[in-house]
Amino acid sequence: MAAGRVGIVGVGMTKQRSSRRDVTGVELINEAVRAALDDAGIKRKEIDAVVIGNMDHFEGINYVDTWSVDGSGALGKPVMKMTTGGTTGSTVAMGAYYHVASGMFDRVLAIGWEKNSESDTTGAIITAFDPFWDRPTFAGAVAGLALEATLYMSETGATEEDAAYIAVRDRRHALNNPYAHLKMDAKIEDIMATPYLSWPVKLGDMCPRTDGACAVVFSSEAAVAEFPNPPAWVHGVADRHLWAYTSDPYVNQKVVGGTWFPAMERATEELYRKVGITDPLEQIDVAELYLPYSFAGLRYMESLGFCERGGGPALVRSGETDMGGRCPVNPSGGVMSSNAIGATGLLRVAEAALQVQGRAGDRQVPDVKLALATGFGGCYWSDELVLGKDKPEKVRG
Amino acid sequence: MAVSQPVPKKEYIVIDSGDLEQPFRWSAGSYGSRFLTEIRDEKKFIGIRCPKCGKVYVPMRRVCGPCYAEMTELVPVSDEGRIVTYSVVSFGFVDPSTGQQKPVPYGYAAIHLDGADSYLLHFVDETDPAKIKPGDRVKAVFEEDGKRTGSLLDIKYFEIQR
């Protein structure tokens, strides 16, 4: 099915910080929205519809679509809330894209935000899961990811030091990003010296808890000339959600699918087919990946087709994913440096757009033509988008 | 008359949600209740089999997602199995079921029960990761008689068979 061509024409983000007690949720949202509208060079009244998302359980305040309308700019406009767990921000981006690609709206604002400082993140995450079969024994994302890390190491021989490389890389990249939360020029030994949270995952391997917001303006092809920024064109999107219970991903890896991460692999296969990518390391110039913890930076490279299964450690240690490599990963510092969860997936899309537009400042990768952005969350859900500098000939829905 | 500008950082007001409770009442359904009463009354596991692919799921669910088939056939499943992957949880967090900090450290594993095709995430009786490995045999240890309530926590933990 054909889809309308859509460009990203403005982005706004707050500085990502451990705690923003100086603002309420709506004030935080408004900071990002004002920045995005200013960046796009348009007024609130020109926005046709708003898509917004976060996860209510992190703040304990429901219905952001309702109470944020003053700050989000949605007052008197069509507004839709989207919440899909960790992928919320990338789903919000895809939802805004669908609004415009459908031909029903020309200028749509996507907003993702979170104030993770307002609750115990792990406790809140647990409430997203089944009260009979998951909650009694589930310990949230950290322990769930630790099970994945153990399995990955036992099957490939990857080491904790390999994972620490990712933590070092992304937080070093964050030094170039004035909006990033955790920035550090650490060494692998520094990460290895941090305490275990849930063996084999250490404090230094995990993303932080962050307060922050992000907003992105999507434009139809017809309206794109109204905006001063060059558009970052959406070349394609894909997503997969395969599991119900927290133990299901391990079943799929070991029994059902026999692959590492079927949701990401199937989304990737569809996305690359739509966009015409056969050699991602060669064709994709930069990737903003939702890496919730360090080991993901090894394994996801395999599921995204950048290397063979088990080849993640060798690929990243070759330096090809560092700034200056063939496909730098997370020039922004990524999720390992900032994780305001509802904003996180949208920040990947915003950062990919800035790279494609050549507006990423000190974190700019030279000559970006194609950028990959991903979202990860829920029960191993995978959202993926490719943005490009050139207008795509045709976009497949 | 003008009022002064917003307060400085040291005066920011933050309120706690307090000790209020908003209880929920969740239904396990007739099949989920069957699984839980079997554990409570018999200290045994039962699973449910997909009529299309034949996979046995533990714990209960009514639809095999990949086949999109309704499942109705209950089958016995062993209280023993093997560890697929594991961790030792040592960070503090609030258990939303109790509102209290979860006692740490504890062993945690995806367990493949004999006769099942899905896994169960549960506790294991080992907190030294060097003493656990994938493939280790485990056996369920249940709460004592009179203390089981019809919950996944009627299984206290899985004991590693050494």
Coordinates of all heavy atoms in Angstrom, one line a residue, chain A residues 338-386:
Chain A
S338 N 20.6 9.1 28.7 CA 19.3 9.8 29.0 C 18.1 8.9 28.8 O 18.0 8.3 27.7 CB 19.1 11.0 28.1 OG 20.3 11.8 28.0
N339 N 17.3 8.7 29.8 CA 16.1 7.8 29.6 C 14.9 8.3 30.3 O 14.5 7.8 31.3 CB 16.5 6.4 30.0 CG 15.4 5.4 29.5 OD1 14.7 5.7 28.6 ND2 15.2 4.3 30.2
A340 N 14.3 9.4 29.8 CA 13.0 9.9 30.2 C 12.0 9.0 29.4 O 11.7 9.4 28.3 CB 12.8 11.3 30.0
I341 N 11.6 7.9 29.9 CA 11.1 6.8 29.1 C 10.1 7.2 28.0 O 10.3 6.8 26.9 CB 10.6 5.7 30.0 CG1 11.7 5.3 31.0 CG2 10.1 4.5 29.2 CD1 11.4 4.1 31.9
G342 N 9.1 7.9 28.3 CA 8.1 8.3 27.2 C 8.7 9.1 26.1 O 8.2 9.2 25.0
A343 N 9.8 9.9 26.5 CA 10.5 10.7 25.5 C 11.5 10.0 24.7 O 11.9 10.4 23.6 CB 11.1 11.9 26.2
T344 N 12.0 8.9 25.3 CA 13.2 8.2 24.8 C 13.2 7.8 23.3 O 14.1 8.0 22.5 CB 13.6 7.0 25.7 OG1 13.8 7.5 27.0 CG2 14.8 6.3 25.2
G345 N 12.1 7.1 22.9 CA 12.0 6.6 21.5 C 11.8 7.8 20.6 O 12.4 7.8 19.5
L346 N 11.1 8.9 21.0 CA 11.0 10.0 20.1 C 12.3 10.8 20.0 O 12.6 11.4 19.0 CB 9.9 10.9 20.7 CG 9.4 12.1 19.8 CD1 8.9 11.6 18.5 CD2 8.3 12.9 20.5
L347 N 13.1 10.8 21.1 CA 14.4 11.4 21.0 C 15.3 10.7 20.0 O 16.1 11.3 19.3 CB 15.1 11.4 22.4 CG 14.7 12.5 23.3 CD1 15.2 12.2 24.7 CD2 15.3 13.8 22.9
R348 N 15.1 9.4 19.8 CA 15.9 8.7 18.8 C 15.5 9.2 17.4 O 16.4 9.4 16.6 CB 15.7 7.1 18.9 CG 15.9 6.5 20.3 CD 17.4 6.3 20.6 NE 18.1 7.5 20.9 CZ 18.0 8.2 22.0 NH1 17.1 8.0 22.9 NH2 18.7 9.3 22.1
V349 N 14.2 9.4 17.2 CA 13.8 9.9 15.9 C 14.2 11.3 15.7 O 14.7 11.7 14.6 CB 12.2 9.8 15.9 CG1 11.7 10.3 14.6 CG2 11.8 8.3 16.0
A350 N 14.1 12.1 16.8 CA 14.5 13.5 16.7 C 16.0 13.6 16.3 O 16.4 14.4 15.5 CB 14.2 14.3 18.0
E351 N 16.8 12.8 17.0 CA 18.3 12.9 16.8 C 18.6 12.4 15.4 O 19.5 12.9 14.7 CB 19.0 12.0 17.8 CG 19.0 12.6 19.2 CD 19.9 13.8 19.4 OE1 20.8 14.0 18.5 OE2 19.8 14.5 20.4
A352 N 17.9 11.3 14.9 CA 18.1 10.8 13.6 C 17.8 11.9 12.6 O 18.5 12.1 11.5 CB 17.3 9.6 13.3
A353 N 16.7 12.7 12.8 CA 16.3 13.8 11.9 C 17.3 14.9 11.9 O 17.7 15.3 10.8 CB 14.9 14.4 12.4
L354 N 17.9 15.2 13.1 CA 18.9 16.3 13.1 C 20.1 15.8 12.3 O 20.8 16.6 11.6 CB 19.3 16.6 14.6 CG 18.3 17.3 15.4 CD1 18.7 17.4 16.9 CD2 18.0 18.7 14.9
Q355 N 20.5 14.5 12.4 CA 21.6 14.0 11.6 C 21.4 14.1 10.1 O 22.3 14.5 9.4 CB 21.9 12.5 12.0 CG 22.4 12.3 13.4 CD 23.9 12.8 13.6 OE1 24.6 13.0 12.6 NE2 24.3 13.0 14.9
V356 N 20.2 13.7 9.7 CA 19.9 13.8 8.3 C 19.8 15.2 7.8 O 20.2 15.5 6.6 CB 18.5 13.1 8.1 CG1 17.9 13.4 6.7 CG2 18.6 11.6 8.2
Q357 N 19.4 16.1 8.6 CA 19.3 17.5 8.3 C 20.6 18.2 8.3 O 20.8 19.4 7.9 CB 18.3 18.3 9.2 CG 16.8 17.8 9.0 CD 15.9 18.4 10.1 OE1 16.3 18.4 11.2 NE2 14.7 18.8 9.7
G358 N 21.6 17.6 8.9 CA 22.9 18.2 9.1 C 22.9 19.3 10.2 O 23.7 20.2 10.1
R359 N 22.1 19.1 11.2 CA 21.9 20.1 12.2 C 22.3 19.6 13.6 O 21.8 20.2 14.6 CB 20.5 20.7 12.2 CG 20.0 21.2 10.9 CD 18.7 22.0 11.0 NE 17.6 21.2 11.5 CZ 16.8 21.7 12.5 NH1 16.9 22.8 13.1 NH2 15.8 20.9 12.9
A360 N 23.1 18.6 13.7 CA 23.3 17.9 15.0 C 24.5 18.5 15.7 O 24.9 18.0 16.7 CB 23.5 16.4 14.8
G361 N 25.0 19.7 15.3 CA 26.0 20.4 16.1 C 27.3 19.5 16.3 O 27.8 18.9 15.4
D362 N 27.8 19.5 17.5 CA 29.1 18.8 17.8 C 28.9 17.3 17.7 O 29.9 16.6 17.6 CB 29.5 19.1 19.2 CG 30.0 20.6 19.4 OD1 30.2 21.2 18.3 OD2 30.1 21.1 20.5
R363 N 27.7 16.8 17.7 CA 27.5 15.4 17.5 C 27.2 14.9 16.1 O 26.7 13.8 15.9 CB 26.4 14.9 18.5 CG 25.1 15.6 18.4 CD 24.2 15.3 19.6 NE 22.8 15.7 19.5 CZ 22.4 16.9 19.7 NH1 23.2 17.9 19.9 NH2 21.1 17.2 19.6
Q364 N 27.3 15.9 15.2 CA 27.0 15.6 13.8 C 27.9 14.5 13.2 O 29.2 14.6 13.3 CB 27.1 16.8 12.9 CG 26.7 16.7 11.4 CD 25.3 16.3 11.2 OE1 24.4 17.0 11.8 NE2 25.0 15.3 10.4
V365 N 27.4 13.6 12.5 CA 28.1 12.6 11.7 C 28.2 13.2 10.2 O 27.2 13.7 9.8 CB 27.5 11.2 11.7 CG1 28.1 10.3 10.7 CG2 27.5 10.6 13.1
P366 N 29.4 13.2 9.6 CA 29.4 13.8 8.3 C 28.6 13.1 7.2 O 28.5 11.9 7.2 CB 30.9 13.7 7.9 CG 31.6 13.3 9.1 CD 30.7 12.6 10.0
D367 N 28.0 13.9 6.3 CA 27.3 13.4 5.1 C 26.3 12.3 5.4 O 26.4 11.2 4.8 CB 28.4 12.8 4.1 CG 29.4 13.9 3.8 OD1 29.0 15.0 3.6 OD2 30.6 13.5 3.7
V368 N 25.4 12.5 6.2 CA 24.4 11.5 6.5 C 23.3 11.6 5.5 O 22.6 12.6 5.3 CB 23.7 11.7 7.9 CG1 22.6 10.8 8.1 CG2 24.8 11.5 9.0
K369 N 23.1 10.4 4.8 CA 21.9 10.3 3.8 C 20.8 9.5 4.4 O 19.7 9.7 4.2 CB 22.5 9.7 2.5 CG 23.4 10.7 1.8 CD 23.5 10.3 0.3 CE 24.2 11.4 -0.5 NZ 25.5 11.7 0.1
L370 N 21.2 8.4 5.1 CA 20.2 7.5 5.7 C 20.5 7.3 7.2 O 21.6 7.1 7.6 CB 20.1 6.2 5.1 CG 19.4 6.0 3.7 CD1 19.4 4.5 3.4 CD2 18.0 6.5 3.8
A371 N 19.4 7.5 8.0 CA 19.6 7.3 9.5 C 18.6 6.3 10.0 O 17.4 6.3 9.5 CB 19.5 8.6 10.2
L372 N 19.0 5.4 10.9 CA 18.1 4.4 11.5 C 17.7 4.9 12.9 O 18.6 5.3 13.7 CB 18.7 3.0 11.5 CG 18.0 1.9 12.2 CD1 16.7 1.5 11.5 CD2 18.9 0.7 12.3
A373 N 16.5 4.8 13.3 CA 16.0 5.1 14.7 C 15.2 3.9 15.2 O 14.4 3.4 14.4 CB 15.2 6.4 14.8
T374 N 15.4 3.5 16.4 CA 14.6 2.3 16.9 C 14.0 2.7 18.3 O 14.5 3.5 19.0 CB 15.5 1.1 17.1 OG1 16.4 1.2 18.2 CG2 16.2 0.7 15.8
G375 N 13.0 1.9 18.6 CA 12.4 1.9 20.0 C 12.3 0.5 20.5 O 12.1 -0.4 19.7
F376 N 12.6 0.4 21.8 CA 12.5 -1.0 22.4 C 11.6 -0.9 23.6 O 11.7 0.1 24.4 CB 13.9 -1.4 22.8 CG 13.9 -2.6 23.8 CD1 13.9 -3.9 23.3 CD2 13.9 -2.3 25.1 CE1 13.9 -4.9 24.2 CE2 13.9 -3.4 26.1 CZ 13.9 -4.7 25.6
G377 N 10.9 -1.9 23.9 CA 10.1 -1.8 25.2 C 9.1 -2.9 25.3 O 9.1 -3.9 24.6
G378 N 8.3 -2.7 26.3 CA 7.2 -3.6 26.6 C 7.8 -5.0 26.8 O 8.8 -5.2 27.5
C379 N 7.2 -6.0 26.2 CA 7.7 -7.3 26.3 C 8.5 -7.6 25.0 O 8.1 -8.3 24.1 CB 6.5 -8.3 26.4 SG 6.6 -9.4 27.8
Y380 N 9.6 -6.9 24.9 CA 10.5 -7.0 23.8 C 9.8 -6.6 22.5 O 9.8 -7.3 21.5 CB 11.1 -8.4 23.6 CG 12.2 -8.6 24.7 CD1 11.9 -8.9 26.0 CD2 13.5 -8.5 24.3 CE1 12.9 -9.0 26.9 CE2 14.5 -8.6 25.2 CZ 14.2 -8.9 26.6 OH 15.2 -9.0 27.5
W381 N 9.2 -5.4 22.5 CA 8.6 -4.8 21.3 C 9.7 -4.1 20.5 O 10.7 -3.6 21.1 CB 7.5 -3.8 21.7 CG 6.5 -3.5 20.7 CD1 6.7 -3.7 19.3 CD2 5.2 -2.9 20.9 NE1 5.5 -3.2 18.7 CE2 4.7 -2.7 19.6 CE3 4.6 -2.4 22.0 CZ2 3.4 -2.2 19.4 CZ3 3.3 -1.9 21.8 CH2 2.7 -1.8 20.6
S382 N 9.5 -4.0 19.2 CA 10.5 -3.3 18.4 C 9.9 -2.4 17.4 O 9.1 -2.8 16.6 CB 11.4 -4.4 17.7 OG 12.5 -3.7 17.1
D383 N 10.1 -1.1 17.5 CA 9.7 -0.1 16.5 C 11.0 0.3 15.8 O 12.0 0.5 16.4 CB 9.2 1.2 17.2 CG 7.8 1.0 17.8 OD1 7.2 0.0 17.6 OD2 7.4 2.0 18.6
E384 N 10.9 0.5 14.5 CA 12.0 1.0 13.7 C 11.6 1.9 12.6 O 10.6 1.8 12.0 CB 12.7 -0.3 13.0 CG 13.2 -1.3 14.1 CD 13.8 -2.5 13.5 OE1 14.1 -2.5 12.2 OE2 13.9 -3.5 14.2
L385 N 12.4 3.0 12.4 CA 12.2 4.0 11.3 C 13.5 4.3 10.6 O 14.6 4.3 11.2 CB 11.7 5.3 11.9 CG 10.4 5.3 12.8 CD1 10.8 5.0 14.3 CD2 9.7 6.6 12.7
V386 N 13.4 4.5 9.3 CA 14.5 5.0 8.5 C 14.2 6.4 8.0 O 13.1 6.6 7.4 CB 14.9 4.0 7.4 CG1 15.9 4.7 6.4 CG2 15.5 2.8 7.9

